[in-house]
Amino acid sequence: MSQAEREIEALMALHPKGFDLSLGRITRLLERLGDPQLRLPPVIHIAGTNGKGSTGAFCRAILEAHGHTAHVHTSPHLVNWHERYRLGAEGGGRLVADEVLADAVRRVAEANRGETITVFEILTAVMFVLFSEHPADAAIIEVGLGGRFDATNVIEHPAVSIIMSISLDHQAYLGDRVELIAAEKGGIIKRGVPVVIGQQPEETARDVLVSIAERLGCPLHVYGQDYFAHEENGRLAYQDDEELADLPLPRLAGRHQQSNAAAAIRALKAAGFQLEEAAIGQALLSVSWPGRLERLPQGRLHQSDLDGVEIWIDGGHNPGAGQAIAEAMANLEERDPRPLFLITGMINTKDPVGYFEAFSGIARHVFTVPVPGSDAGVDPEFLADTADEAGLTAESAPSVKAAIAAITGNWNRLERPPRILVGGSLYLLGHVLAENGTPPV
């Protein structure tokens, strides 16, 4: 265990897990630290149910392709806590060094003086400290949960606020209707600050966000109204009120990444960055976002008997994400037909039936597995029953490795080598990447 991990584990033993949505504790702590959130480079603040991380990855890639440096804050991490803090640097950012992170965690914990607070709030304060003490041209900050009372929402004057796709998730905290969730996510919108609204599957969510932005006098850019993106002849056509750009398709798989890339382009322009078409194209071809609809990197889980087998991973875990991932798998099927198998683990705050329903008629069979190291994981037997309820055939397996073996052990009876999608939980993917020996860098 690294030095920073020991410091954070000690905090987790001392403070409650989970979320307690309020800004009072984080505000008090930041005041004791000298209000580092007031000393940041221009902030790109991103909320939404799905697409936050991908849009942040596009923002980072585009900025770096233009020679800018960018800090990036994301959560949760997949394998190591350090993934939450990428510090901008010439030639591309780097995950925070262990000794730097450990020092920042210690200083923030000391400033808190043992008072009641959540670990997420402390780690958010750590982000503000790190980003204020290291120079960069921009800070891309992803909201942790919701928006209005998320610990990142002490940012008073971001350069731009982005609200990505909104669907049902975290209903216990945010409400059980998309318009209620949209109101919470829209809480990051600040008076007069440009707002970019990503593609919304629900008109009610979009209408709520537009209403908030208009009430606060914000320059507003709405996907499908003020900016657009679509595939044309194997290229990405992007258009807004200023330009029409002919770009390569994004490196990130799935049609939903086209609108995510468009939101990033529009947001950076709204934030005042001057962009060039050639550099944007370079960024779309180089962008990376681990654990989101990507081929499992070569590693320890790739055995000789997996020759010809495709293993994909994606951490999407709610109905909206399921629909986007299922569409991407269907597109792969059109180009290269293979039997699709799911290996799925989830935690108990999700909607497994809604997730599985997206794969009805697409997936051949589902193996449900435990989420290692999580006391909130759904029992695999119960999860298999929910997959059955959604119209799929399913059975439980003790691990991802065992499920892969069960699929590949019978693949000689299949018409083609299988395509396997491991997903349903970012925590599960973190375990898979660690076991594979390929953590994010």
Side-chain angles (χ1 to χ4, degrees), residues 43-66:
V43 171
I44 293 96
H45 201 194
I46 311 177
T49 307
N50 298 307
K52 298 189 299 292
S54 297
T55 303
F58 281 119
C59 286
R60 173 195 158 210
I62 293 169
L63 286 169
E64 291 182 348
H66 285 82

Side-chain angles (χ1 to χ4, degrees), residues 136-157:
D137 299 318
I140 301 162
I141 297 178
E142 179 185 326
V143 167
L145 177 64
R148 184 163 59 114
F149 292 119
D150 182 76
T152 67
N153 202 31
V154 294
I155 301 165
E156 296 179 357
H157 301 289

